C-alpha cells in the first residue's frame, strides 16, 4: 500500500480566492517545460546526486569494508553540524530510540553538533575512548565547529590510546578536497566520501546519515530503497514532473509564498519521527530563505504541541500553511482496563493508540476550520523504507520550490557572513574587512538594562 497526500484542504484561506493561484494550481505554468528540461539536464550532469544516487554502489562497498571495523565499539561519537548531523539524529530517534529508554544494552550514538564546552566536557568525561569510535563528518572539511571538536577529540583519543588512536577515527568528507581529507591522507584514517554536489542538508541518505544508522543496526538500505521509490519517476521521466507529488508540494508552497503566507508548520503526528521536524526545518530554511523569499518552517509534534504552540497556529496571525504528517497504521499499544472510573467509561477496552488517531483528526480539522491551507501526508507505515520515501519527497519538494520561486535551493550564502565574522573574532588571518566591521559594531555605545 502506498503513501498518500490529501489535497482537499490545501488551497484554503486566501489561496481559495487568489487569482494568482489558478495558474500555479492547474499545472499550466508557463515555465513547466523549462523546469523539466532543467531537471533533466542537472540529473544528466550529475549535479543532483541526492535524486539520482549514483553513489549507491560505492557506498555499499564502503559500508561493507567499514562496518566490520567499527562493529565492536559500544559508542559512536559523531562530530558534525547542520546537514552533517540532523539527518543522523532524525534516523536515530525514529529507529533506535532505545538509548533514551531504561536498561539500554545495545550500541549508542552521541551527536556533538554544538560548541558548548560544558556539554562536550561532560560527554568526553563519560565516554570510554577504548569503547568509542569517533566519526567526524564535514563535506567541506573546514567547518570551524566540527574541526574544533575534532582537534579536541584527537587529543582525547591520543592521550588515552597512544598510537592506536587512529583506528578509532573515521572521517566522512569530500573525496579529494579539504582539510579533513588531508588528515585522512596523513594519518591513514578510515574514511568515507561525501560525493560531489551532495550538499549537507541533502546528504542524510549518504554515508553522512547512513553510517551512524548502520552502526545502530538500522536498515539503512531500506532508507535508500524508499528514497529511490520516490526519486525514480523524476529521474527517469523528468518531463512528467508535473505529475510528481514533490512538484505538487512545490506548487502549493509557491502559492503560499505569493499570497503572503510566511510560515510553514510541519506538524508531525508520528511521534517517533518528531526529529524529522528539525531535519526538515534546516532543509527548508537553508534552501529557501533567500532574496527576501521563503516560508519559515515551524516543526511541531503531535500531540505534545497541542498543549504548546497550537493556540498560535489556530488563532494567531493568518500567515501559516501546514504539512500534516500521520501514519495509516499507528501502533496501538496496550488497552485501557474495564475498571476505569465511570467518568472515563468511554475509554474502557480502547487501545492507547486511539488517542493519537483521534487527536490528530481533531487538530487537523481545527486547523482546517481556521482556514489554514493544509496538506495531509499519510504514510502507509513507519518503517525505514517509508522514512526514506518521506525524506526524498521533502528534499525534491524543496528543490523544486526553490526553482519555482527563482532562487538557488542548493547554496546558503547568507550564513557565510556570521562565519567570517566569528573567524575574524578568533584571530584567523585574511579577515581585515570583517575585523574592521566588528570593531565598528562593538564601538556603538550600548544601552544596557540590568535585571
Ligand atoms: O546544509 C548545509 O549545507 C549546511 O548546513 C552544512 O551541512 C553545514 O554548514 C556543515 O557543513 P560541512 O558538512 O561542510 O561541515
Amino acid at each position: 500500500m502506498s503513501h498518500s497526500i490529501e489535497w482537499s484542504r490545501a488551497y484554503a484561506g486566501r489561496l481559495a480566492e487568489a487569482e494568482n493561484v489558478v495558474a500555479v494550481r492547474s499545472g499550466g505554468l508557463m515555465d513547466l517545460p523549462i523546469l523539466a528540461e532543467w531537471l533533466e539536464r542537472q540529473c544528466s550532469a550529475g549535479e543532483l546526486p541526492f535524486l539520482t544516487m549514483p553513489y549507491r554502489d560505492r557506498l555499499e562497498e564502503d559500508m561493507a569494508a567499514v562496518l566490520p571495523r567499527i562493529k565492536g565499539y559500544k559508542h559512536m561519537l559523531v562530530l558534525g553540524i547542520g546537514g552533517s548531523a540532523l539527518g543522523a539524529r532524525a534516523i536515530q530517534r525514529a529507529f533506535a530510540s532505545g538509548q533514551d529508554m531504561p536498561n539500554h544494552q545495545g550500541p549508542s550514538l552521541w551527536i556533538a553538533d554544538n560548541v558548548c564546552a560544558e556539554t562536550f566536557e561532560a560527554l568526553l568525561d563519560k565516554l570510554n575512548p577504548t569503547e568509542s569510535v569517533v566519526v567526524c563528518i564535514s563535506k567541506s572539511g573546514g567547518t570551524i565547529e566540527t574541526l574544533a571538536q575534532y582537534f579536541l577529540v584527537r587529543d582525547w583519543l591520543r592521550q588515552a590510546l597512544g598510537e592506536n588512536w587512529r583506528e578509532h577515527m573515521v572521517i566522512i568528507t569530500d573525496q579529494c578536497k579539504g582539510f579533513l581529507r588531508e588528515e585522512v591522507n596523513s594519518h591513514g584514517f578510515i574514511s568515507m566520501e561525501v560525493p560531489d554536489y551532495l550538499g549537507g542538508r541533502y546528504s542524510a541518505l549518504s554515508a553522512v546519515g547512513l553510517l551512524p544508522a548502520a552502526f545502530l543496526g538500522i536498515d539503512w538500505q531500506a532508507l535508500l530503497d524508499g528514497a529511490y521509490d520516490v526519486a525514480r519517476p523524476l529521474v527517469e521521466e523528468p518531463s512528467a514532473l508535473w505529475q510528481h507529488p514533490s512538484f505538487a508540494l512545490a506548487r502549493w508552497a509557491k502559492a503560499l509564498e505569493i499570497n503572503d503566507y510566511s510560515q510553514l508548520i510541519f506538524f508531525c503526528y508520528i511521534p517517533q519521527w518528531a526529529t524529522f521536524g528539525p531535519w526538515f526545518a534546516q532543509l527548508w530554511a537553508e534552501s529557501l530563505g533567500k532574496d527576501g523569499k521563503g516560508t519559515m518552517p515551524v516543526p511541531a509534534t503531535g500531540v505534545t504541541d497541542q498543549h504548546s504552540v497550537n493556540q498560535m497556529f489556530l488563532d494567531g496571525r493568518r500567515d501559516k500553511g501546514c504539512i500534516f504528517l500521520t501514519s495509516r497504521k499507528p501502533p496501538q499499544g496496550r488497552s485501557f482496563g474495564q475498571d476505569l472510573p465511570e467518568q472515563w467509561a468511554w475509554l474502557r477496552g480502547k487501545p492507547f493508540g486511539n488517542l493519537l488517531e483521534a487527536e490528530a483528526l481533531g487538530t487537523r480539522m481545527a486547523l482546517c476550520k481556521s482556514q489554514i491551507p493544509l496538506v495531509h501526508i499519510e504514510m502507509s507505515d513507519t518503517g525505514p523504507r517509508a522514512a526514506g520515501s518521506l525524506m526524498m519527497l521533502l528534499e525534491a519538494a524543496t528543490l523544486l520550490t526553490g526553482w519555482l520561486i527563482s532562487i538557488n535551493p542548493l547554496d546558503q550564502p547568507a550564513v557565510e557572513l556570521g562565519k567570517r565574522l566569528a573567524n575574524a573574532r578568533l584571530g584567523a588571518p585574511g579577515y581585515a574587512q570583517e575585523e574592521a566591521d566588528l570593531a565598528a559594531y562593538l564601538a556603538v555605545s550600548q544601552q544596557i538594562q540590568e535585571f
Side-chain angles (χ1 to χ4, degrees), residues 62-129:
D62 287 352
M63 285 284 210
V66 172
L67 286 175
R69 295 181 68 178
I70 62 170
K71 207 169 82 196
Y73 293 110
K74 216 167 152 195
H75 299 278
M76 176 182 278
L77 171 60
V78 163
L79 314 176
I81 196 165
S84 290
L86 289 162
R89 182 174 289 130
I91 295 168
Q92 173 195 24
R93 296 279 159 83
F95 301 112
S97 58
Q99 225 179 297
D100 299 331
M101 303 286 174
N103 303 321
H104 173 62
Q105 301 289 333
S108 297
L109 173 67
W110 309 97
I111 299 176
D113 63 347
N114 208 333
V115 288
C116 173
E118 191 177 330
T119 313
F120 199 59
E121 283 308 315
L123 192 55
L124 295 190
D125 204 37
K126 291 268 182 291
L127 283 175
N128 176 351

Side-chain angles (χ1 to χ4, degrees), residues 325-346:
L325 181 70
T326 65
S327 160
R328 200 169 296 142
K329 281 190 263 159
Q332 293 301 305
R334 62 187 63 199
S335 297
F336 299 105
Q338 294 298 339
D339 59 346
L340 258 54
E342 202 46 45
Q343 71 189 109
W344 304 105
W346 41 280

Side-chain angles (χ1 to χ4, degrees), residues 144-415:
I144 180 74
E145 295 88 346
T146 304
L147 285 187
Q149 297 188 108
Y150 164 76
F151 292 133
L152 297 173
V153 167
R154 200 171 67 163
D155 290 346
W156 174 77
L157 285 177
R158 204 164 19 205
Q159 275 156 21
L161 304 170
E163 277 311 300
N164 278 345
W165 75 277
R166 292 182 179 83
E167 285 160 31
H168 290 243
M169 182 69 81
V170 177
I171 304 282
I172 301 179
T173 191
D174 188 273
Q175 48 193 322
C176 312
K177 302 188 295 284
F179 174 76
L180 284 178
R181 182 51 63 188
E182 288 165 22
E183 287 289 276
V184 171
N185 295 339
S186 54
H187 291 290
F189 296 139
I190 304 171
S191 76
M192 295 178 80
E193 65 181 48
V194 187
D196 285 347
Y197 298 108
L198 196 65
R201 55 194 179 272
Y202 295 90
S203 71
L205 297 176
S206 69
V208 171
L210 298 181
L211 183 66
F215 175 74
L216 293 170
I218 296 166
D219 188 349
W220 57 274
Q221 280 151 318
L223 280 152
L224 283 170
D225 291 341
Y228 201 65
D229 288 342
V230 171
R232 186 184 295 114
L234 286 172
V235 173
E236 290 179 357
E237 208 183 342
S239 59
L241 170 71
W242 61 276
Q243 293 173 315
H244 199 271
S246 63
F247 191 56
L249 282 171
R251 290 201 314 253
W252 176 69
K254 172 160 176 160
L256 290 174
E257 170 93 31
I258 59 179
N259 287 286
D260 294 328
Y261 286 89
S262 60
Q263 310 214 16
L264 180 60
I265 303 162
F266 181 80
F267 218 150
C268 179
Y269 271 79
I270 304 177
Q272 61 277 36
W273 285 16
T275 323
F276 281 112
W279 169 80
F280 170 70
Q282 190 242 356
L283 170 71
W284 192 260
E286 214 165 65
S287 299
L288 301 177
K290 285 159 203 168
D291 298 344
K293 296 179 184 169
T295 44
M296 182 70 196
V298 183
T301 303
V303 303
T304 310
D305 287 324
Q306 283 176 217
H307 296 260
S308 167
V309 285
N310 200 30
Q311 172 69 31
M312 182 64 85
F313 293 167
L314 291 166
D315 208 18
R317 290 178 64 133
R318 308 286 187 236
D319 60 351
K320 298 164 193 67
C322 180
I323 294 177
F324 198 93
L325 181 70
T326 65
S327 160
R328 200 169 296 142
K329 281 190 263 159
Q332 293 301 305
R334 62 187 63 199
S335 297
F336 299 105
Q338 294 298 339
D339 59 346
L340 258 54
E342 202 46 45
Q343 71 189 109
W344 304 105
W346 41 280
L347 284 176
R348 286 178 191 158
K350 292 205 169 90
F352 186 41
N354 276 14
L355 260 79
L356 184 69
E357 283 179 274
E359 295 196 42
L361 178 60
T363 302
R364 196 162 76 245
M365 183 167 162
L367 291 163
C368 292
K369 280 188 92 77
S370 294
Q371 295 301 313
I372 293 175
L374 181 144
V375 168
H376 178 195
I377 302 180
E378 189 179 64
M379 305 306 297
S380 70
D381 64 272
T382 54
R385 188 168 184 138
S389 292
L390 179 72
M391 291 170 90
M392 180 58 77
L393 175 75
L394 295 173
E395 288 178 12
T398 304
L399 176 88
L400 296 170
T401 302
W403 289 357
L404 282 183
I405 63 174
S406 307
I407 53 100
N408 177 0
L410 301 174
D411 66 1
Q412 58 282 335
V415 296

